[in-house]
């Protein structure tokens, strides 16, 4: 009988011990999967040796872990190897960068994954909705921003993929006209600084091919001459310089030699572009250009003498005109 009682008592003790062990195990597992502590606990963890990676380029690489969500915020439960790398007793990272699956993440003082814009050690970074740090061009809302390979937001003049951009103090990409040191520059719709010929609202401009500065006044581009107004637009049409007329084509190029304007032919000096008038001989052919510059055709009287210019403007000599008028070697109608 005593043996039975003893045996029953022993069984009860074993049952209680097993129950207590199971409870403690469950408690330990639950504690191991709890969400991050608040700032005070995090600071305590940091003080206990958390490796504080202050730059994404030096972010330690996680050897393993699990993403957890508390409310609408995510945190990362570290495996024991990553805890060792970070030198912390906490099972989640705080106030540091961490590389997970080839992407870089930043965690705040409470251990939660950052998203959106964040200023860290004086630099601006942008994190996607997935928490991964972004690089290159990003457009979070209405403006474009550029983030370097280290994730830091760029400002000021930047050369990116062989093009020049201006990023404001807020980081937003600039578009449109911009004056720097009394010189105008233009950034097109993609933000790239214009160089060479560019058209803005139907008007053509020429921006320096190296600096991008807008050109004004007389310019030689390649082998052609142009004139740009003080506002930068290329000039077209007739223009008087030092009481002499010059003509600029629709492309803005200054005309030289023969040029047809509104159905009439003009001759502009082949070097200076000055409009010619009066008698002119070219390649053995004589032409007459009115005081307004138009090439003359038909009968012309000069000093009481008649001369004849055919449809191409050439003065006829030593030939019958219209089958019944003779003009001599000087082009004078004699009979």
């Amino acid at each position: 009988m005593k043996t039975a009682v003893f045996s029953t008592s022993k069984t009860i003790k074993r049952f209680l011990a097993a129950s207590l062990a199971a409870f403690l195990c469950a408690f330990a597992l639950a504690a191991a999967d709890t969400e991050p502590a608040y700032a005070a606990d995090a600071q305590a963890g940091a003080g206990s040796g958390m490796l504080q990676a202050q730059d994404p380029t030096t972010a330690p690489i996680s050897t393993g872990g699990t993403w957890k969500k508390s409310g609408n915020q995510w945190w990362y439960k570290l495996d024991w190897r990553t805890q060792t790398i970070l030198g912390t007793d906490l099972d989640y990272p705080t106030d540091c960068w961490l590389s997970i699956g080839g992407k870089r993440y930043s965690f705040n003082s409470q251990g939660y994954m950052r998203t959106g814009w964040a200023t860290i050690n004086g630099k601006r970074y942008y994190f996607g909705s997935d928490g991964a740090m972004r690089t290159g061009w990003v457009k979070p809302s209405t403006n474009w921003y550029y983030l370097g390979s280290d994730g830091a937001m760029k400002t000021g003049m930047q050369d990116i993929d062989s093009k020049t951009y201006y990023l404001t103090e807020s980081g937003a990409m600039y578009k449109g006209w911009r004056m720097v040191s009394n010189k105008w520059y233009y950034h097109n719709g993609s933000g790239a600084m214009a160089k060479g010929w560019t058209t803005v609202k139907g008007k053509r401009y020429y921006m320096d091919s190296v600096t991008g500065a807008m050109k004004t006044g007389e310019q030689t581009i390649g082998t052609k001459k142009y004139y740009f107004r003080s506002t930068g637009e290329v000039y077209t049409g007739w223009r008087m310089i030092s009481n002499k007329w010059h003509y600029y084509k629709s492309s803005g190029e200054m005309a030289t030699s023969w040029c047809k304007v509104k159905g009439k032919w003009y001759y502009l000096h082949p070097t200076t572009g000055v409009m010619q008038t009066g008698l002119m001989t070219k390649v053995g052919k004589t032409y007459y250009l009115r005081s307004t510059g138009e090439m003359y055709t038909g009968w012309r009287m000069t000093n009481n003498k008649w001369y004849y210019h055919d449809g191409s403007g050439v003065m006829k000599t030593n030939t019958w005109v219209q089958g019944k008028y003779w003009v001599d070697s000087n082009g004078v109608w004699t009979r």
Side-chain angles (χ1 to χ4, degrees), residues 160-209:
I160 303 169
D161 296 331
S162 301
K163 296 181 180 180
T164 303
Y165 299 83
Y166 179 71
L167 306 171
T168 63
E169 290 184 5
S170 68
M173 181 188 76
Y174 192 92
K175 293 185 289 185
W177 290 102
R178 182 172 67 92
M179 179 176 273
V180 181
S181 301
N182 291 321
K183 293 182 179 180
W184 284 102
Y185 299 82
Y186 184 75
H187 296 264
N188 60 31
S190 68
M193 186 171 74
K195 294 180 180 180
W197 287 105
T198 189
T199 301
V200 182
K201 295 182 179 180
K203 296 180 180 180
R204 298 181 72 226
Y205 301 80
Y206 189 80
M207 322 303 282
D208 190 277
S209 59

Side-chain angles (χ1 to χ4, degrees), residues 40-60:
D41 297 321
Q43 290 171 2
S48 65
M50 172 74 76
L51 178 60
Q52 300 294 300
Q54 300 299 320
D55 189 294
T57 60
T58 60

Side-chain angles (χ1 to χ4, degrees), residues 2 212 218 278 333:
K2 286 183 178 179
E218 294 182 1
W333 170 41

Side-chain angles (χ1 to χ4, degrees), residues 3 5 8 26 53 109 134 208-209 230 234 258 265 303 332-333:
T3 301
V5 171
T8 300
S109 60
R134 297 294 193 255
D208 190 277
S209 59
S230 59
V234 68
W258 287 108
W265 284 98
N303 296 326
V332 177
W333 170 41

Side-chain angles (χ1 to χ4, degrees), residues 206-226:
Y206 189 80
M207 322 303 282
D208 190 277
S209 59
V210 177
T211 66
M214 182 187 78
K215 295 291 189 180
T216 60
E218 294 182 1
Q219 300 289 336
T220 299
I221 302 171
T223 59
K224 300 175 180 179
K225 296 180 180 180
Y226 300 84

Side-chain angles (χ1 to χ4, degrees), residues 51-93:
L51 178 60
Q52 300 294 300
Q54 300 299 320
D55 189 294
T57 60
T58 60
I61 300 174
S62 171
T63 60
T66 307
W67 284 105
K68 302 287 183 180
K69 191 173 186 181
S70 297
N72 62 350
Q73 298 191 86
W74 287 91
W75 58 284
Y76 191 71
K77 180 175 170 56
L78 303 170
D79 67 352
W80 66 270
R81 294 183 184 85
T82 307
Q83 281 184 270
T84 302
I85 292 172
L86 294 177
T88 179
D89 294 330
L90 295 175
D91 62 353
Y92 56 89

